[in-house]
Amino acid sequence: SQTIHQWPATLVQPVGSPLSLECTVEGTSNPNLYWYRQAAGRGLQLLFYSVGIGQISSEVPQNLSASRPQDRQFILSSKKLLLSDSGFYLCAWSSISQGEQYFGPGTRLTVT
Amino acid sequence: AQKVTQAQTEISVVEKEDVTLDCVYETRDTTYYLFWYKQPPSGELVFLIRRNSFDEQNEISGRYSWNFQKSTSSFNFTITASQVVDSAVYFCALSNQAGTALIFGKGTTLSVSS
């Protein structure tokens, strides 16, 4: 069966510090991968998605970036965090043929 | 443009009551997919159901049932005999192609009290 991992689970970072969130998927090959952010008020916003290694599409211009160095690894980064980057970050995967996405446990980021 | 509207922000019911969560969608595509997800207090989104645009059959899974009506662009979710464990935020979502990004509604917070 497939599983998706995210770490860390929680993170408190000062403004201006760098960020690296990692997501890995097990039990499947060539998944589509996604990063979402859920700010207070619970709306989910798609940040990035990837259909393959090195292929990243950005949905919202911001100071965040994403990379996919391996087939089942997806990384969300920032060089300098802003207060507005606080939120709940969720990674998800889907297969090419199926529409549903399966989500990881999420990372709760607080920028102070 | 694609859009999902969940007009009910919060719903409170007492255990054993039936409750329906509304979802209205907008899309110009003739082929699309609709989803429901549950987000319990732990935060992880749990996939509940996917429905393809060409399949308007309603579906029942235990206490859960879904009513898909293309004529009104709605995909409503009913929980029968609600339980405290059903308390969560429920999201409706839409995509125009398998394997692409989901457009989420803002969610409905369901509180079930004993």
Side-chain angles (χ1 to χ4, degrees):
Chain A
S1 64
Q2 301 85 11
T3 55
I4 179 169
H5 303 279
Q6 282 186 250
W7 64 91
T10 59
L11 192 60
V12 180
Q13 292 283 96
V15 169
S17 64
L19 173 74
S20 181
L21 303 181
E22 190 163 342
C23 169
T24 59
V25 181
E26 296 177 356
T28 186
S29 297
N30 196 29
N32 289 349
L33 296 172
Y34 311 83
W35 279 111
Y36 290 87
R37 178 170 61 199
Q38 186 177 32
R42 63 174 190 264
L44 280 124
Q45 179 185 43
L46 177 68
L47 301 175
F48 301 94
Y49 70 94
S50 171
V51 299
I53 295 175
Q55 300 178 61
I56 309 293
S57 295
S58 174
E59 290 294 306
V60 182
Q62 58 218 326
N63 68 321
L64 298 172
S65 62
S67 62
R68 185 170 176 173
Q70 299 179 37
D71 181 45
R72 290 169 289 179
Q73 184 185 29
F74 205 22
I75 297 173
L76 182 68
S77 304
S78 174
K79 292 182 179 179
K80 289 185 177 182
L81 284 169
L82 306 173
L83 285 174
S84 58
D85 291 323
S86 293
F88 189 48
Y89 289 81
L90 289 155
C91 181
W93 76 272
S94 71
S95 68
I96 296 174
S97 59
Q98 291 182 315
E100 61 267 28
Q101 295 178 14
Y102 297 94
F103 286 79
T107 295
R108 207 164 293 279
L109 171 66
T110 303
V111 182
T112 59
Chain B
Q2 296 182 309
K3 185 180 178 181
V4 176
T5 301
Q6 294 180 255
Q8 304 151 309
T9 304
E10 296 182 11
I11 300 176
S12 295
V13 299
V14 178
E15 262 193 321
K16 300 183 182 178
E17 283 186 29
D18 299 345
V19 58
T20 295
L21 309 181
D22 297 333
C23 173
V24 175
Y25 63 92
E26 296 176 29
T27 181
R28 295 180 180 177
D29 298 305
T30 55
T31 299
Y32 51 90
Y33 302 85
L34 295 164
F35 309 84
W36 275 96
Y37 284 85
K38 175 182 180 179
Q39 187 176 38
S42 62
E44 184 172 347
L45 265 75
V46 178
F47 166 71
L48 296 177
I49 189 172
R50 178 192 68 186
R51 176 59 75 221
N52 304 332
S53 57
F54 46 85
D55 181 5
E56 281 193 77
Q57 280 191 344
N58 293 328
E59 182 156 339
I60 298 175
S61 176
R63 297 184 296 108
Y64 294 172
S65 62
W66 291 270
N67 182 5
F68 176 31
Q69 291 194 343
K70 290 178 74 171
S71 60
T72 56
S73 297
S74 64
F75 186 42
N76 297 337
F77 173 28
T78 297
I79 301 175
T80 302
S82 59
Q83 300 176 1
V84 173
V85 294
D86 295 327
S87 297
V89 182
Y90 290 87
F91 290 94
C92 182
L94 165 72
S95 74
N96 64 352
Q97 186 178 345
T100 62
L102 301 180
I103 305 299
F104 283 88
K106 293 188 182 299
T108 297
T109 300
L110 174 64
S111 299
V112 182
S113 58
S114 58

